Amino acid sequence: MIDVKLICDKPELIKEALLKLNSTAPVDEIVELNTKRRELTYEVERLKEKKNSTSKEIGKMKDKESRDKLITEMREVGDKIKELDEEIKKIEEDLHEKLLWVPNLPHESVPVGKGEEENVVVKTVGEKRIFDFTPLPHWELGEKLDIIDFERGVKLSGTRFYVLKKAGSKLQRALINWMLDLHIDHHGYTEIYPPYMVKGECLTGTGNLPKFGENLYRDAEEDLWFIPTAEVPVTNLHREEILEPGTLPLNYVAYTACFRREKMSAGKDTRGIKRGHQFDKVELVKVVEREKSMEELEKLISHAEDILKRLNLPYRLIKMCTGDLSFTAMIKYDLEVWSPGCDEWLEVSSCSNFGDFQARRANIRYRPEAKGKPLFAHTLNGSALALPRTVIAIMENYQQPDGSILIPEVLRSYMGGMETIKGGI
RNA sequence: GGAGAGAUGGCUGAGUUCGGUUGAAAGCGCUCGACUCGAAAUCGAGUAAGGGGAGUAAAAUCUCUUUCGUGGGUUCAAAUCCCACUCUCUCCGCCA
């Protein structure tokens, strides 16, 4: 959510920015509603002031006649207040609803562009491996080695589900533990194990609702939703809180399963384990002071990159242009790992600075100094990394001519010393 | 799931019988001052928060409003009365 005051102060500037985002948010209506809101608030507060002070006087009065007269008078004032309060409430709800649909404004450094094609490749790190045989896609490797079972996944749960087994599941488990340990021990993050189901207000807080409800799974009877990413519960840890001086920055790392309907990507990436309805992810979340968020973003990206570097996988860093920016992000970078079997770059991480967009929705504030006025914090997050795609990258990049897969050195101790994944293990 | 108890400021905890002088006793904590070479102890003063508006370069400051779990109701007036809900605790049942 962006600041109403900002919208009302500089509506033209906002409109211009929204144009770059291909957004049609109703700026004029918002300005109008807010003006009305302020007028009515002023009016009703004058009336309340009168009623409050008069009521106190009534309590002290002895003369019945003038007392009754005032009571009658205040009864009318009370009715008027009720009427105005209702009107204000309606306006506020309307205004709030409209604001929830306004996307975040892009940071000044974000390149202007219409869509994906205009994203900027910031850098490419590592060399693509030269194969002296044709590298296989992970779905073929996985079936040959009997470490991914697609058929039975579909039998259990339908399309976009699969079963990992043997060294396949062990590899994923090793990655999770290794990544968590790395972030905790070397990057200074605090581990969180959050609920996988949250209330709707959490999703509104992070910006997944109301706009992206169709991409989420939910309980049929209660207001409980499956998380599409750990970002949701972890960012919401501090919803409705005012953080005391000295608490920030907060650096969290969380491993969770993630659940997505993939309605917006229907028909896309149906092969392999690239895009499932359920997948695992290790996620980094930061809550920081507002002046610090851009430098924290750099750190965040470097922490995600560190995983790829240590796994020795070729990757590239992409800066998203305005047309490809997500609804909530002020600035966003993707990390893409090279996958020789699929023959494409796979997005394994998305690192965003949300500015105070989420903090406003979730009401996450901090006190810059003792007794100071609370300010909205800045929130950031990035995957580090998404598991299935990292598994894909390892399988495809480390495959051998005989179809076996070499295990990256950093993971071996997490796999009981295993060095190669061969059939039958 | 059944029965009962509870939810008040940074914390502990009164107030709810009989609605007004209670934005809230008392204590703890914290801040400032006195005493002291300094500290402790003691004494004195101050100390809830959110939002809006005025003001300022920014503060200071002034002012209105809301808040005693949440939402509604009664009333001129609600921490206090009524209704619904949420959460916490205890006991029973069930369970990984």
Side-chain angles (χ1 to χ4, degrees), chain A residues 140-147 166 403-405 421-424:
Chain A
E140 286 186 31
L141 289 165
E143 279 186 327
K144 278 188 182 161
L145 293 167
D146 194 29
I147 58 172
K166 299 185 194 171
S404 66
I405 294 162
I421 300 175
K422 299 182 188 122

Side-chain angles (χ1 to χ4, degrees), chain A residues 138-139 148 150 162 164 172 271-276 279 387-389 391-392 395:
Chain A
H138 67 281
W139 54 86
I148 309 176
F150 292 100
Y162 54 86
L164 292 182
Q172 172 158 294
R271 201 105 198 249
I273 63 171
K274 183 176 161 189
R275 190 185 295 273
F279 67 97
L387 266 308
R389 293 180 185 180
V391 169
I392 292 174
M395 287 175 68

Side-chain angles (χ1 to χ4, degrees), chain A residues 258-317:
Chain A
C258 305
F259 305 92
R260 298 183 183 179
R261 301 181 79 105
E262 295 297 347
K263 277 210 164 167
M264 284 112 121
S265 308
K268 230 173 146 184
D269 310 317
T270 45
R271 201 105 198 249
I273 63 171
K274 183 176 161 189
R275 190 185 295 273
H277 288 308
Q278 170 191 322
F279 67 97
D280 284 12
K281 190 153 63 69
V282 171
E283 184 81 3
L284 306 176
V285 173
K286 281 172 178 281
V287 182
V288 307
E289 291 175 292
R290 52 184 186 176
E291 305 81 18
K292 304 274 174 65
S293 66
M294 288 310 283
E295 57 185 277
E296 289 290 341
L297 179 63
E298 298 296 319
K299 286 192 209 164
L300 184 70
I301 295 168
S302 76
H303 296 150
E305 278 186 81
D306 196 27
I307 300 280
L308 293 166
K309 281 182 185 157
R310 287 175 193 252
L311 287 173
N312 209 8
L313 292 168
Y315 69 91
R316 59 183 196 180
L317 179 66

